[in-house]
Amino acid sequence: MRLIDTAVQPVGNDLATRLASVPGLVRPGVSHWDMKTRLPLHPLSVENAYGDPRLLHDLAVPAVAFARQLDADVIVGAETGGIPLATAVALAGDLPFAFVRKPGYIGHEDHEPRVRGAAVAGRRVLLVDDAISQGTALEAFADQLRAENADLVGAFALVDMRDVADSLTPIATTLPIESVATYLQILAKAVDLGVLDQGTHNLAVDALLNHWPDDDPRWSLLDPQTAAA
């Protein structure tokens, strides 16, 4: 027996607005990814959305609908950001739950399984993560699942960042993927909510889409102190 009726839950733009309004999720300021790639905004703190149980439940609703569409047998959370959301999806959809370790994980025992929780071998699984970008992490998790003989039928993320990725792995273009919103949609919602001013938004989007070099003088317009450092 299913626990929710997805037809009456908030989805689409309203849910994207609620996500963008989470305190601290969108933060102005120049930052760096892995201490290398310069970013015109701080990375999204998507995990902040997990603090509100009602919102976490509602964010799971479109993933439940997607899982049903794909006839998924098991919901699998990607370590670590996808685990809380995947748990909510499994509970909302009354589906088995598992999580997949990051490649390279070293456990306390030899030959620890890559996937913990429900059995995935020979079953159709929906992978859940907080965000998907180029697809590098997605590809790695897919390899882990294949090694456990799972049938990966799709992926769900809160934020689909492929709209600002400079390249995509093959799996990011072929695997069925759904999300609450794209990254650019979240930024647009943040402007509507007053979290980002329009000027910062315009500069940040330009930097993301046109891949500003580090010596571009416009960095100083986004964060003078960071740009001058």
Side-chain angles (χ1 to χ4, degrees), residues 77 79 99-103 105 112-116 140-141 144:
E79 187 184 28
F99 69 91
V100 57
R101 293 286 193 184
K102 290 180 178 178
Y105 170 80
E112 286 196 13
R114 300 172 181 85
V115 181
R116 294 295 187 101
F141 285 124
Q144 296 280 85

Side-chain angles (χ1 to χ4, degrees), residues 9 35 120 122 169 179 227:
Q9 298 298 319
M35 304 302 293
V120 298
T169 60
S179 66

Side-chain angles (χ1 to χ4, degrees), residues 70-141:
L70 297 174
D71 198 24
D73 301 311
V74 184
I75 304 300
V76 176
E79 187 184 28
T80 54
I83 293 177
L85 179 61
T87 305
V89 174
L91 288 170
D94 194 22
L95 289 164
F97 164 80
F99 69 91
V100 57
R101 293 286 193 184
K102 290 180 178 178
Y105 170 80
I106 299 176
H108 301 292
E109 303 174 11
D110 292 337
H111 311 299
E112 286 196 13
R114 300 172 181 85
V115 181
R116 294 295 187 101
V120 298
R123 307 178 81 180
R124 297 170 63 84
V125 304
L126 175 67
L127 181 68
V128 176
D129 207 349
D130 54 355
I132 292 175
S133 183
Q134 292 180 316
T136 305
L138 176 61
E139 190 173 61
F141 285 124

